[in-house]
Amino acid sequence: MLSVNTKYHMRYLGMQSLSHEQWLAVMGQSQYVDVSVDRYNNGPLVTLLEHRVSELFAKPNAMYFNKGTTCQLALMKAVCESKKNNRVVVHPQSHIAQDEQDAYQALMGLEGVVLGGIGKPFDAADLYTLSNDVAVLVVELPLRRAGFKLTPWDELLKMRQWCDEEGVHFHMDGARLWESAPFYGKSFEAIAALFDSVYVSLYKGIGAVSGALLLGDDDLLSSCAVWRDRLGSNMWTAFPSLITALEGLDKNLPQIPDWVERTKAISEVLIDFKMLVMDKPECNGFQIKLKAPLQQLNAELLKCEQQFDMVLCKPFERLDDDWVFTEIQVVSHHAVNDVNEASAKEKSAKDKSTKDKSTKDKSTNEISDVEIEMFFAALLSAVESGDDVLEWSE
């Protein structure tokens, strides 16, 4: 594996883990750094963040959480209590079901009603197959584990109608809603209007250290407050998250439509590689599938990252007995590299060779179409040739 310091100088197409020094640089340069520190989810930065996002979505109010998992657990539990019904509809590949270890059932005592098939979101017709009353319908936009797939707008309208008819709370897991709005060609306000509550992440496209917001009416958020405390989300202070979230709203949010367009362009670059199976991107991410031996493929991926000095995707994972997959995401909030590289040069001369390499137009984190094409050509060539050194049999 590459060391942290080596990867630190690489260009990244997706989300990059910043160093402590980089995060401190972001906060140190921020206009929000001199604002009074928050205490237990109260303070001017909390108020400003909640107000800005609630206005953006035209929801009555917003509530800050340190993590999206606790945000949605609090929401589901509060709604189920109010409706005296513990059933929650989720997709089998949703973050709630797949990435949170079924916490909503194991911790909160809720009952999951798993709806839909693998590889695509469920639709409104699926709702009419439910045999029991439910309290909450959760739709994840996009459904990341299915390949960043988005539910069509007309299906969302039908789901809204079904929820109204059945008295069901309609909740959006909008961790990547920021990146999904261009697909619909509608404002955040118009999309959020279909839902009774909305969760948005602050650390993905927005680029904060951490954090989440739950949007809804005052009564709903008030009922969630006790569960926020019970779930450990009443932080002594959350200023790193708050400062970097506000910075992200200022600087990253306006760029997101361009990231989506860049994602589409990258998929067009890769479409000529016949070994790759891809769907047309609907947001700033898409899934790539191919048939290849997993362990050796990732070893070759690492070699390509070193050779081309860039990281284009996460390591491949097993999809089934034959297929493996990875994800490409376009996220570009890394301008802080300029600050870090400058300070590194001042601190020591011993890293001169590394820093000289990193000054080759890395500050913009730019990666060209030609470089992406060359990267995947080298990677797939190793797969097709059955590299003897890597022993491609599995």
Side-chain angles (χ1 to χ4, degrees):
M1 292 293 291
L2 288 174
S3 69
V4 173
N5 287 336
T6 303
K7 277 204 169 185
Y8 163 80
H9 291 288
M10 285 188 173
R11 291 166 294 166
Y12 276 69
L13 195 60
M15 293 174 61
Q16 180 181 5
S17 296
L18 302 185
S19 67
H20 297 157
E21 186 177 7
Q22 287 175 305
W23 281 123
L24 291 171
V26 171
M27 290 185 284
Q29 296 174 1
S30 173
Q31 64 175 312
Y32 306 104
V33 73
D34 293 325
V35 179
S36 299
V37 176
D38 61 292
R39 290 289 183 267
Y40 293 119
N41 293 320
N42 289 292
L45 288 181
V46 178
T47 301
L48 176 60
L49 179 61
E50 292 176 343
H51 180 70
R52 281 187 63 176
V53 177
S54 63
E55 279 203 333
L56 193 61
F57 286 84
K59 287 296 187 185
N61 216 330
M63 176 179 286
Y64 174 81
F65 284 76
N66 66 326
K67 188 169 176 60
T69 299
T70 56
C71 172
Q72 297 198 107
L73 289 178
L75 177 280
M76 290 184 287
K77 184 65 174 179
V79 173
C80 286
E81 282 187 331
S82 69
K83 292 183 175 292
K84 297 180 174 55
N85 182 331
N86 279 347
R87 298 189 189 96
V88 178
V89 178
V90 296
H91 191 279
Q93 290 183 290
S94 66
H95 194 279
I96 289 173
Q98 185 166 329
D99 294 277
E100 299 172 16
Q101 307 296 324
D102 281 328
Y104 73 110
Q105 297 188 107
L107 292 180
M108 313 307 285
L110 305 180
E111 179 183 343
V113 179
V114 179
L115 185 67
I118 300 302
K120 65 176 183 178
F122 53 70
D123 56 29
D126 293 321
L127 298 174
Y128 290 94
T129 68
L130 298 176
S131 57
N132 293 311
D133 293 338
V134 299
V136 184
L137 170 63
V138 180
V139 171
E140 182 179 328
L141 299 178
L143 189 57
R144 182 257 182 103
R145 294 300 182 189
F148 299 88
K149 301 287 183 60
L150 282 157
T151 303
W153 182 253
D154 60 344
E155 291 297 322
L156 292 177
L157 292 174
K158 294 174 184 176
M159 291 178 188
R160 174 71 268 176
Q161 181 179 354
W162 179 86
C163 287
D164 290 339
E165 293 171 354
E166 301 296 326
V168 173
H169 183 100
F170 197 15
H171 173 69
M172 182 208 304
D173 179 340
R176 292 176 172 83
L177 176 60
W178 312 106
E179 301 90 335
S180 301
F183 172 81
Y184 295 111
K186 299 182 184 296
S187 66
F188 296 127
E189 176 181 351
I191 299 170
L194 295 182
F195 296 84
D196 299 305
S197 57
V198 176
Y199 144 64
V200 290
S201 173
L202 297 173
Y203 80 87
K204 295 180 177 70
I206 296 301
V209 170
S210 61
L213 288 170
L214 178 63
L215 298 106
D217 62 41
D218 290 337
D219 288 342
L220 174 66
L221 297 185
S222 178
S223 67
C224 292
V226 63
W227 286 105
R228 179 174 67 173
D229 291 355
R230 288 168 176 168
L231 290 166
S233 201
N234 197 14
M235 308 287 285
W236 164 239
T237 182
F239 73 86
S241 172
L242 301 171
I243 291 173
T244 53
L246 289 164
E247 283 289 315
L249 290 174
D250 293 342
K251 298 175 182 177
N252 298 326
L253 181 57
Q255 300 181 53
I256 288 178
D258 292 335
W259 302 351
V260 175
E261 291 305 309
R262 178 70 178 128
T263 306
K264 295 176 183 177
I266 291 170
S267 73
E268 291 298 318
V269 171
L270 300 179
I271 200 168
D272 290 332
F273 290 105
K274 302 306 180 184
M275 290 182 66
L276 303 181
V277 176
M278 300 175 295
D279 292 317
K280 184 177 179 181
E282 298 177 347
C283 59
N284 73 319
F286 63 98
Q287 195 176 87
I288 296 174
K289 293 175 281 191
L290 74 156
K291 292 183 178 181
L294 179 62
Q295 183 177 351
Q296 290 84 355
L297 178 60
N298 280 330
E300 189 66 25
L301 177 66
L302 189 58
K303 287 176 60 179
C304 288
E305 290 173 353
Q306 293 172 315
Q307 177 184 349
F308 291 93
D309 200 34
M310 59 188 182
V311 178
L312 299 185
C313 60
K314 68 174 194 172
F316 285 84
E317 298 178 40
R318 175 68 58 198
L319 188 64
D320 55 33
D321 290 342
D322 297 320
W323 292 88
V324 298
F325 77 97
T326 188
E327 297 171 345
I328 283 185
Q329 296 186 66
V330 176
V331 180
S332 302
H333 43 70
H334 307 313
V336 70
N337 286 348
D338 295 342
V339 177
N340 188 80
E341 288 172 8
S343 62
K345 289 177 182 178
E346 295 173 1
K347 284 172 60 177
S348 174
K350 68 180 181 180
D351 296 327
K352 184 176 185 303
S353 61
T354 304
K355 281 178 281 185
D356 287 345
K357 183 180 179 183
S358 70
T359 57
K360 189 177 74 174
D361 198 30
K362 300 285 184 60
S363 61
T364 57
N365 201 38
E366 290 182 356
I367 299 175
S368 70
D369 288 352
V370 172
E371 289 177 298
I372 293 171
E373 186 175 10
M374 291 174 62
F375 184 104
F376 272 91
L379 178 63
L380 298 178
S381 176
V383 177
E384 290 179 310
S385 65
D387 193 317
D388 292 334
V389 175
L390 290 176
E391 298 179 355
W392 283 98
S393 62
E394 190 174 61

